[in-house]
Amino acid sequence: MKSTIHFMKIRNIAFAITVLITVIGLFSLFHKGLNLGLDFTGGTSIELRYEHPADLDKIRTELVASEAGKKSEFEDAIVQSFGSSESVLIRLKNDEPNIGNVVAAKLHSIDPNNKFELISAETVGAQVGKELLDKGGIACLLALAGILIYLAFRFQWKFGIGAIASLFHDLVVTLGIIAFFQIPIDLTVFAALLAMIGYSLNDTIIIYDRIRENFRVLRKADLIENIDKSVTQTLLRTIATSVSTAMALIALLIFGGPSLGGFALVMLIGVVVGTYSSIYIAGPVLVWLKLSREDLLPPANTELKDTNS
């Protein structure tokens, strides 16, 4: 782009919007809470192998169908293919010892011509789910700490603060949307959150790298001019990456089925939120921290200085 877009001109308005969105996200998160899935709450994982490709919709309908006006005990069942169209994985919050055989007996009436075999019925205890959640949270914190340390060494600590602020915003907003719509959080959704951190950080680092480079090239430009120029120079690349990624995720959301729907939706939210934060959070934080050209100069060699004196 030949002309520079003055992104930082509306940084205070963007900051007000950011605060509003973040507060709404936190309110949603604490008011509604997260809808933790079987992976974190405990339950049973049942694997079936059919002779022919299984009809997942029929299996799901049979499991959640009410009986004699009563709610089905399997209404929370998650049904998905497992490696092939003949293998089916069913996950339930019910953790009774004989639940695998009960489910198998219920499903035999669907299609007598397509027989299946109960391969396994494994129970995941609530304690195991809690450990998974704790370790997942620690993984997120370690990832954020690693990012801060990397950026502090690779660039400068002010860049690290900007990147962490952006990621914090992305996580809060995404988790707030997940909580508002009560999207079940399983391991695939958790993997999407970690992938979203990496995606958002990638955009931020590209802009930061251009800002650092432009400090050498644009010697008369101040910090705001530098940020506007850097974001403009990387904008086409950002748009191309975000749009192409979003198109792939929308296709996955529509055609990927329920098992991949949560992953695709969370990633899609992350792409939109991450693109916004890399411009209107990562950049303004550098302005508030008063990043200067001197911050990026290498430290003086004191030993050489002492020798010369």
Side-chain angles (χ1 to χ4, degrees):
M1 280 187 188
K2 292 182 179 178
S3 57
T4 300
I5 302 173
H6 300 288
F7 291 99
M8 293 300 105
K9 199 172 181 179
I10 59 167
R11 65 182 183 279
N12 291 330
I13 298 173
F15 176 70
I17 295 172
T18 300
V19 171
L20 179 63
I21 293 173
T22 305
V23 169
I24 292 173
L26 284 171
F27 176 78
S28 175
L29 194 56
F30 288 107
H31 180 65
K32 286 203 163 188
L34 296 173
N35 180 16
L36 297 177
L38 170 67
D39 294 328
F40 300 110
T41 59
T44 305
S45 176
I46 301 168
E47 184 182 350
L48 306 175
R49 184 170 298 154
Y50 282 77
E51 291 180 347
H52 308 291
D55 189 330
L56 299 183
D57 289 334
K58 280 188 177 179
I59 295 173
R60 192 177 297 108
T61 303
E62 179 66 21
L63 287 175
V64 303
S66 58
E67 296 178 354
K70 295 181 180 179
K71 283 187 176 180
S72 169
E73 58 180 321
F74 307 126
E75 64 176 1
D76 58 350
I78 299 173
V79 182
Q80 55 195 158
S81 58
F82 182 61
S84 67
S85 57
E86 288 82 14
S87 296
V88 175
L89 184 67
I90 300 171
R91 296 187 291 173
L92 305 163
K93 288 186 179 178
N94 195 321
D95 58 357
E96 293 175 10
N98 197 34
I99 193 66
N101 291 326
V102 174
V103 170
K106 190 176 178 67
L107 295 179
H108 272 302
S109 61
I110 294 179
D111 186 0
N113 296 323
N114 191 7
K115 295 181 180 178
F116 64 84
E117 179 186 2
L118 175 62
I119 302 300
S120 64
E122 298 177 356
T123 301
V124 180
Q127 182 60 32
V128 175
K130 186 176 181 304
E131 287 180 10
L132 281 173
L133 186 62
D134 291 343
K135 289 179 180 177
I138 292 172
C140 273
L141 290 177
L142 288 176
L144 292 175
I147 289 165
L148 180 61
I149 294 170
Y150 168 75
L151 288 176
F153 277 102
R154 181 74 174 81
F155 293 88
Q156 208 263 352
W157 66 268
K158 293 177 182 176
F159 289 99
I161 298 294
I164 293 298
S166 301
L167 291 180
F168 177 76
H169 164 270
D170 297 348
L171 275 177
V172 168
V173 173
T174 306
L175 287 174
I177 294 173
I178 289 174
F180 183 81
F181 290 103
Q182 288 292 288
I183 299 170
I185 296 183
D186 54 18
L187 288 178
T188 59
V189 170
F190 198 80
L193 287 172
L194 290 176
M196 184 199 74
I197 289 176
Y199 181 89
S200 175
L201 181 67
N202 183 53
D203 254 4
T204 303
I205 284 182
I206 287 171
I207 292 175
Y208 277 177
D209 196 44
R210 186 57 62 94
I211 291 173
R212 186 179 61 169
E213 184 66 26
N214 280 340
F215 263 123
R216 302 191 188 101
V217 179
L218 308 172
R219 293 190 171 276
K220 293 184 179 179
D222 61 20
L223 177 59
I224 291 178
E225 289 174 323
N226 185 339
I227 294 174
D228 283 338
K229 191 78 177 176
S230 300
V231 174
T232 303
Q233 289 172 343
T234 56
L235 187 62
L236 287 179
R237 180 208 166 278
T238 301
I239 292 174
T241 306
S242 300
V243 170
S244 59
T245 306
M247 288 174 68
L249 290 170
I250 290 171
L252 198 61
L253 186 62
I254 296 172
F255 302 109
S259 57
L260 293 176
F263 177 89
L265 182 60
V266 172
M267 275 296 294
L268 192 57
I269 296 168
V271 168
V272 176
V273 173
T275 303
Y276 168 82
S277 69
S278 63
I279 297 173
Y280 280 114
I281 296 180
V285 167
L286 297 182
V287 178
W288 297 326
L289 293 177
K290 298 178 180 176
L291 179 75
S292 64
R293 186 173 283 103
E294 288 71 26
D295 288 329
L296 301 176
L297 292 176
N301 190 332
T302 53
E303 290 185 6
L304 183 61
K305 199 174 179 180
D306 292 340
T307 305
N308 291 336
S309 62

